[in-house]
Amino acid sequence: MQEAFIRWIVLFPLLGAGLIAALGRRLPRAAVGILACSTVGASFAAGLAGYFRLADLAGQVHPAAAVLTDHFYTWMALGRLNVGVSFILDPLSSAMVLMVAGVSFLIHVYSMGYMAHDKSYWRYFSYLNLFVFFMLLLITADSLPLMFIGWEGVGLCSYLLIGFWFEDPEKAYAGKKAFIVNRVGDFGFLLGIILLFWSLGTVDFAGITSLAPDKLAVGGTWVTLITLLLFLGATGKSAQIPLYVWLPDAMAGPTPVSALIHAATMVTAGVYMIVRLNVLYLMAPVSMAVVAAVGVLTAIYAASIGLVQNDIKKVLAYSTISQLGYMFLAVGVGAFSAGIFHLVTHAFFKALLFLCAGSVIHAMGGRQDIREMGGLRTKLPATYWTFLIATVTIAGLPPFSGFFSKDEILWQAFGGAKGHWLLWLTGFLAAGMTAFYMFRLLFLTFFGRCRADHETSARIHESPKVMTVPLVILAVLSALGGYWGVPEVLGGAARLHHWLAPVLGNENGTFRFEAPHYSHAVEYLFMALSVAVAAGGIYAAWVFYLRRPETAGSLAGRLRICYQVLLNKYYVDEIYNIFIVQPVKLGSTYLLWKLFDVSLVDGAVNLTGRTVRGLGRLAARLQNGYAQVYAISFLLGVALVLGSLLW
Amino acid sequence: MIELSELLLLSAVLFVLGVVGFIIRRNILIMFMSVELMLNSAGLVLVAFSNKLGTMDPQVFAVFVIALAAAEAAVGLAIIVALFRGRESVNIDEMRLLKW
């Protein structure tokens, strides 16, 4: 059904970005902040209206037909290729729109406090609004090319915001790293789109879903290649092995940016894309296995690095990578709605964790090393309580939302049709590590005695209301967000699962997610195991960092090699540097620049120039200024012409 | 009665004199006169053929050539006078600035 207001969900933030970019320098700070917040708020309101309209429609027509579309204009029509700037609001995109616009709004409000003293206030809000525009475009796009515009746009905004304080070369470098690593993934994404168009002749999602089962062979080379290439794009954008390396460095940006872009929204784009193309992925079992394996490996790998990091934001960054791994595990075993469920709850609690970290950093005067913190519980009560809720949520203790979403994923990884006990076991161990490193962070930051120097600790103060109110709202959402997905076995309604059902699978149900077939007792057992491993992780953290703080140090001393490997992130940056970055640099310098460009390209150009110049010098001698020489050549010319005519 | 061939021969001699004069003399005024000689040799050919063929058309041409030559002489002599005033010389070899 055509609904013309859908476009405004996307366009409001663009309007805000444009206005702030044009007028921000002359407007007072309060006006810039309020303008930025209100455009995102307006988007959220439009999204809410769309959601209610959609829910209304779903009751009246066939669930698969309950889709709101808005054709804005035709972007390109070339032969078979017909791409419109059209937006769709179906159950999947409406859930994403509400999450993105809602979390963005809270983070915008928070930013008004966090960035209050920054000299580039208006530039910050302009970028932030532009980011929300591209993110919503990515979500509501009805075709892959339009999604790609959003995909690249969020990458651009990510680059601009990571390097927001570009006077610091290290931060500018982090921005570049994020952009270049993403470029590798985007290349795969673009190739995937081109191959998809080549094999199907269509690039809009409705067309792909309906044509793919007829035109492509299940498990065939084409569909596998396409889905793997698209997944390469997802590993870049969503920071999975092997392209995750940019995300920890992306912490150089302002903390609200880390919360918005590098925790809640942009990095989940890859998961969203796979769920959007779920029919295509279900047709390629090999790709699904790859997605699940990469996801679960990333989950445990990043969690293990998170165990020993000392920078509050770095711990959260590795935690984000790990949690994204869970989402890919979910979609990899075909549990798409569980993936989206975890995506939404993760957006709440991880945004909250980052904003709390921002509040701590704000209080500590810019310090981020948790070894210099401690004892902040009494000094920052609001931050402490909200951080505690978020930590319990991510650790996976009931009844907070993280328990429901993570347990659902682990259960599907074990019992789903595409599940495997190895996937479950790896994810299960990662869940224990998650509980450990999050409580380690909590204990080191908020408990014990304050390890900051005297000058810093004297100035520690709670953040202003404009920052703590969003924290409280997000804490409520983190705690209660699980309500949308309480599984039926626990007496819930699994509302999100039913809400998303129409967009999963194709119309005649050939490719559909199959629920695990086990008795309730087994499911209860796995829930108990999940809670037990989380509790175990928390207990270990408690012993190590509160009860006997010396244990951690002595264990690190005994396992020195392991500790060093983890602390240095498995030396992956160094390995990439030796095997990829340096060869590319050397190759560019000596082969492409000094050999190819200077010798060949410049050589060819210069040779052409010199040849023409030399010939010109020779010819110029004929024109010596003597009129009578011209006369003779004229005469000779006439004689020649006449002679040849008369011959 | 003068034969056509004699007239053409005369015309050719006049033309060659003009060409040679133009090429070997350095004095612009003489070169200019050589050009006039070439023009008039062409006019002579026209008149000779008019006589031979018994039509007036070539003579019309000849009159045009004379009119053109008059106009050309006016302009050309004016240029030569201007050149002489500027350079105190009519030697063509000294006027070779217009080149690469």
Side-chain angles (χ1 to χ4, degrees):
Chain A
M1 184 170 286
Q2 178 80 19
E3 277 287 359
F5 76 87
I6 307 292
R7 67 186 62 160
W8 290 106
I9 297 174
V10 179
L11 291 182
F12 273 128
L14 180 64
L15 201 68
L19 276 177
I20 294 170
L23 306 171
R25 204 189 285 271
R26 283 180 283 278
L27 288 175
R29 288 181 172 231
V32 169
I34 290 169
L35 181 62
C37 292
S38 56
T39 54
V40 180
S43 256
F44 181 71
L48 210 58
Y51 168 79
F52 285 124
R53 183 85 187 79
L54 199 63
D56 200 30
L57 200 64
Q60 294 165 5
V61 297
H62 187 266
V67 176
L68 301 177
T69 56
D70 182 5
H71 182 72
F72 198 9
Y73 66 95
T74 301
W75 176 17
M76 45 186 170
L78 304 162
R80 288 189 302 160
L81 181 69
N82 197 329
V83 182
V85 177
S86 314
F87 308 112
I88 45 167
L89 205 65
D90 62 358
L92 176 60
S93 56
S94 75
M96 288 291 288
V97 162
L98 287 184
M99 184 279 279
V100 168
V103 171
S104 301
F105 177 70
L106 293 174
I107 292 172
H108 272 72
V109 173
Y110 177 95
S111 298
M112 285 171 69
Y114 191 85
M115 301 297 284
H117 306 297
D118 198 276
K119 61 178 159 53
S120 303
Y121 194 73
W122 62 276
R123 185 163 63 90
Y124 174 82
F125 275 105
S126 180
Y127 289 168
L128 214 56
N129 256 337
L130 189 67
F131 168 78
V132 177
F133 160 70
F134 278 123
M135 190 67 209
L136 290 170
L137 181 69
L138 190 161
I139 291 168
T140 54
D142 87 323
S143 62
L144 273 170
L146 194 61
M147 186 191 227
F148 190 65
I149 299 287
W151 188 274
E152 292 293 317
V154 291
L156 168 71
C157 293
S158 165
Y159 160 75
L160 290 172
L161 284 162
I162 293 168
F164 183 71
W165 290 310
F166 54 81
E167 291 93 344
D168 182 349
E170 205 170 306
K171 291 176 172 165
Y173 173 78
K176 266 194 292 187
K177 183 173 177 183
F179 200 70
I180 292 167
V181 172
N182 264 299
R183 200 87 300 101
V184 178
D186 293 348
F187 179 65
F189 193 75
L190 193 60
L191 275 184
I193 296 176
I194 292 167
L195 282 186
L196 196 61
F197 175 69
W198 202 12
S199 55
L200 284 186
T202 179
V203 281
D204 62 292
F205 295 123
I208 292 167
T209 309
S210 61
L211 284 182
D214 298 333
K215 286 201 173 178
L216 293 171
V218 176
T221 319
W222 276 114
V223 74
T224 309
L225 191 63
I226 290 167
T227 46
L228 282 178
L229 282 170
L230 292 173
F231 179 59
L232 180 64
T235 59
K237 194 65 56 192
S238 297
Q240 297 295 294
I241 293 171
L243 297 178
Y244 71 92
V245 285
W246 63 272
L247 187 60
D249 288 5
M251 295 300 124
T255 310
V257 169
S258 310
L260 177 62
I261 302 183
H262 307 119
T265 55
M266 183 188 85
V267 289
T268 61
V271 182
Y272 173 76
M273 183 271 293
I274 291 180
V275 177
R276 184 46 88 198
L277 295 171
N278 63 80
V279 170
L280 214 55
Y281 275 86
L282 284 171
M283 288 175 66
V286 177
S287 305
M288 289 288 272
V290 169
V291 172
V294 167
V296 80
L297 282 177
T298 309
I300 194 162
Y301 170 83
S304 68
I305 298 175
L307 294 175
V308 299
Q309 295 300 308
N310 290 319
D311 182 318
I312 185 169
K313 286 182 76 182
K314 285 272 160 77
V315 176
L316 294 178
Y318 281 105
S319 165
T320 304
I321 298 174
S322 170
Q323 297 299 312
L324 288 164
Y326 275 113
M327 295 173 210
F328 279 103
L329 169 63
V331 297
V333 298
F336 298 108
S337 63
I340 293 292
F341 184 29
H342 196 56
L343 192 162
V344 173
T345 58
H346 173 260
F348 294 148
F349 63 68
K350 189 51 67 62
L352 175 56
L353 284 169
F354 267 112
L355 294 186
C356 287
S359 179
V360 169
I361 294 166
H362 195 67
M364 298 289 295
R367 270 156 232 266
Q368 304 191 358
D369 194 325
I370 50 176
R371 287 170 300 191
E372 294 176 10
M373 298 178 186
L376 299 179
R377 182 170 39 141
T378 47
K379 289 175 178 159
L380 309 171
T383 308
Y384 165 67
W385 280 106
T386 48
F387 196 92
L388 180 66
I389 290 173
T391 309
V392 174
T393 307
I394 188 176
L397 290 185
F400 298 97
S401 61
F403 164 72
F404 296 110
S405 57
K406 198 186 289 179
D407 186 63
E408 181 72 13
I409 291 174
L410 289 175
W411 170 236
Q412 302 281 8
F414 177 79
K418 293 174 191 295
H420 194 276
W421 63 268
L422 216 65
L423 294 176
W424 170 79
L425 186 66
T426 318
F428 176 77
L429 292 176
M433 289 185 187
T434 308
F436 178 83
Y437 68 68
M438 282 315 300
F439 272 86
R440 168 180 178 265
L441 188 62
L442 180 81
F443 292 148
L444 284 177
T445 312
F446 291 100
F447 287 79
R449 111 199 121 65
C450 188
R451 294 179 294 277
D453 56 68
H454 187 71
E455 198 183 330
T456 314
S457 61
R459 278 193 278 116
I460 294 176
H461 57 283
E462 181 61 288
S463 305
K465 276 270 184 309
V466 69
M467 286 164 73
T468 51
V469 169
L471 294 184
V472 173
I473 297 173
L474 278 171
V476 171
L477 286 170
S478 306
L480 304 180
Y483 163 74
W484 295 98
V486 178
E488 275 148 359
V489 66
L490 287 179
R495 296 170 69 104
L496 192 70
H497 180 70
H498 291 301
W499 174 250
L500 291 179
V503 289
L504 303 178
N506 60 343
E507 269 166 44
N508 55 23
T510 326
F511 300 101
R512 211 164 251 304
F513 166 67
E514 289 160 45
H517 304 292
Y518 284 95
S519 70
H520 285 180
V522 181
E523 204 168 340
Y524 288 134
L525 174 70
F526 274 84
M527 277 183 196
L529 280 174
S530 295
V531 177
V533 75
I538 295 167
Y539 176 74
W542 179 70
V543 169
F544 274 35
Y545 296 98
L546 280 191
R547 196 150 145 255
R548 286 198 223 109
E550 70 284 355
T551 337
S554 70
L555 191 68
R558 249 180 294 156
L559 300 172
R560 172 149 291 283
I561 295 173
C562 285
Y563 180 73
Q564 283 300 326
V565 167
L566 288 181
L567 191 65
N568 290 299
K569 310 146 206 165
Y570 294 94
Y571 296 98
V572 165
D573 274 331
E574 285 78 5
I575 293 170
Y576 278 10
N577 190 35
I578 292 170
F579 288 102
I580 297 171
V581 179
Q582 291 306 330
V584 167
K585 260 190 182 168
L586 289 177
S588 304
T589 310
Y590 291 103
L591 207 69
L592 293 180
W593 172 29
K594 293 199 169 154
L595 183 79
F596 186 74
D597 193 48
V598 173
S599 314
L600 246 70
V601 177
D602 289 4
V605 172
N606 288 342
L607 185 69
T608 313
R610 262 189 228 125
T611 315
V612 170
R613 202 177 151 141
L615 288 175
R617 280 248 168 83
L618 277 179
R621 298 200 172 269
L622 293 174
Q623 194 192 3
N624 55 7
Y626 291 109
Q628 283 161 328
V629 174
Y630 301 165
I632 291 173
S633 46
F634 185 72
L635 186 73
L636 285 175
V638 170
L640 222 66
V641 170
L642 281 180
S644 73
L645 282 177
L646 295 176
W647 198 259
Chain B
M1 184 73 190
I2 306 166
E3 288 295 318
L4 178 66
S5 57
E6 291 168 0
L7 282 171
L8 290 182
L9 196 66
L10 174 63
S11 158
V13 168
L14 282 176
F15 189 82
V16 170
L17 277 175
V19 168
V20 171
F22 186 84
I23 289 172
I24 64 170
R25 298 303 296 258
R26 298 284 181 269
N27 189 323
I28 301 178
L29 212 58
I30 306 289
M31 287 168 73
F32 188 72
M33 284 158 66
S34 305
V35 171
E36 293 301 318
L37 208 57
M38 284 188 272
L39 263 177
N40 284 319
S41 74
L44 186 61
V45 174
L46 286 169
V47 175
F49 272 105
S50 166
N51 187 32
K52 167 79 180 168
L53 300 175
T55 68
M56 292 303 283
D57 296 1
Q59 292 205 26
V60 175
F61 261 109
V63 172
F64 270 114
V65 169
I66 291 165
L68 203 77
E72 178 242 325
V75 175
L77 285 171
I79 290 172
I80 291 167
V81 170
L83 267 175
F84 184 75
R85 282 193 185 151
R87 301 184 158 244
E88 303 268 311
S89 159
V90 286
N91 188 344
I92 189 78
D93 285 353
E94 289 168 21
M95 293 157 201
R96 53 185 292 260
L97 283 177
L98 193 66
K99 58 178 179 183
W100 47 268

